[in-house]
Amino acid sequence: MKASAFSYARATSVANALELLAGYGDRAKVLSGGQSLMPAMNLRLISPELIVDIGELAELRGIAVRGDVLSIGALTRHVDLQRSPELAAHAPLLTEAVAHVAHPAIRNRGTIGGSLAHADPASELPACMVVLNATIVVRGAKGERRIAAEDFFKGIYETALSPEELLISVEFPAARKNSTHFFHEFARRHGDYAIAGLAAQAIVDGNVLADLRLAFFAVGDRPVLAEAASKLIKVAVTPAVLSKALAVLAGELDPQEDQQASASMRRHLAKVLMARCVAALLGRPDLNAGVIA
Ligand SMILES: Cc1cc2nc3c(=O)[nH]c(=O)nc-3n(C[C@H](O)[C@H](O)[C@H](O)COP(=O)(O)OP(=O)(O)OC[C@H]3O[C@@H](n4cnc5c(N)ncnc54)[C@H](O)[C@@H]3O)c2cc1C
């Protein structure tokens, strides 16, 4: 199938893109890498009247480190994230995670802004933004808004962006020297959307977790920053303590069922991921043995 007829405009600046979008509401769509938008249009899941192509706006591309803060422009492609020495040094979680986003051909065109605006709950990058405590910077006719990643994702393909706003960039603190991370997802094949996944950032002090943030993806309608992490911070983690935290996790997830997995399978996989994560972060393989029924 092919997309319905639509008008096309190539924006020459951010201000021009906002002018083009004004008044159209959700009858217009922004085009970045097109890796999610074009398939949706070709399947006629959406039929916008106007496409505003922002792909040539160099001002929205690039990675910068300013003091302790990393800033990534919305049009920065997945492949640029993967190859960035700045990210490898200051956000190694993101370097690892982006290798799981789709396949090389898609990573060559798809952008971080497109991925976050698309807000697929099975996507890797939204969960990374939540765990990294990122701020999403958006701009509209009335000016700029800065939205905490945790508040940005509202549901399946739903965000705090209005249709007449552009996602401009994301900002987040550089990883502290003593921080460490964990990333893993279950998918049928490498590069497929996850069935269940976990992005985690931690500070390990001796054999204790001084800080721990866990963002699960594909187990709810948006990334889930797990409260269960708080049960493991600044305590001696025994198998019993971990089991209690896993029970808290199971209670706070509300996974969807689809052709890939039932809700209970997703809940189980999330617990497996959390046990593996804690065992890996603390270098305690014993914690991963026998805690999950
Ligand atoms: C076969 C296949 C497998 C895939 N697997 C994965 C996967 O495993 N993990 C994953 O995360 N993704 C996956 N994707 C999606 C892919 O990563 C897309 O690149 C990404 O989701 C969207 O980025 P894009 O730049 O192509 O956005 P586009 O397709 O151009 O846009 C996506 C949506 O975001 C909006 N948008 C784009 N940019 C902006 C902006 N700056 N401001 C406001 N709105 C904007 C568009 O209007 C549209 O609604 C897959 C895609 C395909 C086709």
Side-chain angles (χ1 to χ4, degrees):
M1 213 191 296
K2 284 287 164 209
S4 303
F6 57 88
S7 303
Y8 171 91
R10 180 175 289 174
T12 53
S13 65
V14 169
N16 177 233
L18 295 176
E19 276 164 26
L20 290 165
L21 290 169
Y24 269 88
D26 56 12
R27 291 178 293 120
K29 280 282 178 192
V30 174
L31 174 68
S32 287
Q35 299 305 295
S36 294
L37 182 63
M38 296 319 295
M41 287 173 64
N42 286 340
L43 291 167
R44 301 212 179 178
L45 297 173
I46 50 168
S47 299
E49 285 172 26
L50 172 68
I51 291 296
V52 176
D53 184 351
I54 62 167
E56 300 290 311
L57 303 184
E59 63 203 277
L60 296 183
R61 209 179 292 280
I63 299 168
V65 186
R66 296 187 194 96
D68 290 341
V69 175
L70 271 96
S71 171
I72 305 178
L75 278 182
T76 310
R77 299 171 307 156
H78 303 318
V79 67
D80 302 321
L81 301 179
Q82 211 175 348
R83 292 180 184 162
S84 160
E86 292 90 351
L87 287 196
H90 301 294
L93 167 68
L94 210 44
T95 308
E96 191 174 337
V98 80
H100 295 264
V101 176
H103 312 285
I106 292 161
R107 293 199 292 269
N108 284 341
R109 298 199 68 91
T111 66
I112 186 168
S115 179
L116 301 179
H118 188 54
D120 189 314
S123 270
E124 293 80 2
L125 299 186
C128 289
M129 291 304 113
V130 168
V131 92
L132 293 172
N133 216 357
T135 300
I136 316 278
V137 182
V138 309
R139 200 176 300 161
K142 292 187 188 145
E144 201 157 276
R145 295 197 294 143
R146 298 171 61 82
I147 306 166
E150 236 191 298
D151 301 327
F152 183 77
F153 301 102
K154 298 285 186 196
I156 301 175
Y157 308 131
E158 236 187 280
T159 69
L161 259 180
S162 93
E164 295 180 7
E165 285 177 315
L166 279 186
L167 197 158
I168 299 292
S169 63
V170 296
E171 294 174 9
F172 52 88
R176 284 163 53 179
K177 288 267 178 296
N178 55 350
S179 79
T180 179
H181 72 274
F182 174 91
F183 182 91
H184 193 76
E185 69 180 41
F186 293 111
R188 293 216 177 268
R189 293 169 305 185
H190 183 89
D192 283 4
Y193 275 109
I195 298 171
L198 170 59
Q201 183 97 344
I203 294 179
V204 180
D205 185 6
N207 47 15
V208 169
L209 290 160
D211 191 25
L212 177 65
R213 286 172 71 84
L214 303 171
F216 289 87
F217 51 101
V219 290
D221 67 353
R222 67 195 85 178
V224 179
L225 189 64
E227 283 289 324
S230 65
K231 306 288 171 203
L232 301 169
I233 295 173
K234 294 181 184 158
V235 296
V237 181
T238 61
V241 167
L242 181 56
S243 287
K244 276 192 195 144
L246 294 173
V248 173
L249 175 73
E252 66 182 310
L253 297 181
D254 184 17
Q256 67 283 17
E257 172 159 1
D258 60 19
Q259 68 276 30
Q260 296 220 74
S262 64
S264 65
M265 179 174 164
R266 284 200 156 90
R267 198 174 273 115
H268 173 77
L269 291 177
K271 287 164 70 182
V272 171
L273 284 167
M274 183 163 156
R276 283 190 191 176
C277 168
V278 174
L281 291 173
L282 291 173
R284 293 263 313 275
D286 60 297
L287 287 172
N288 193 28
V291 282
I292 296 173

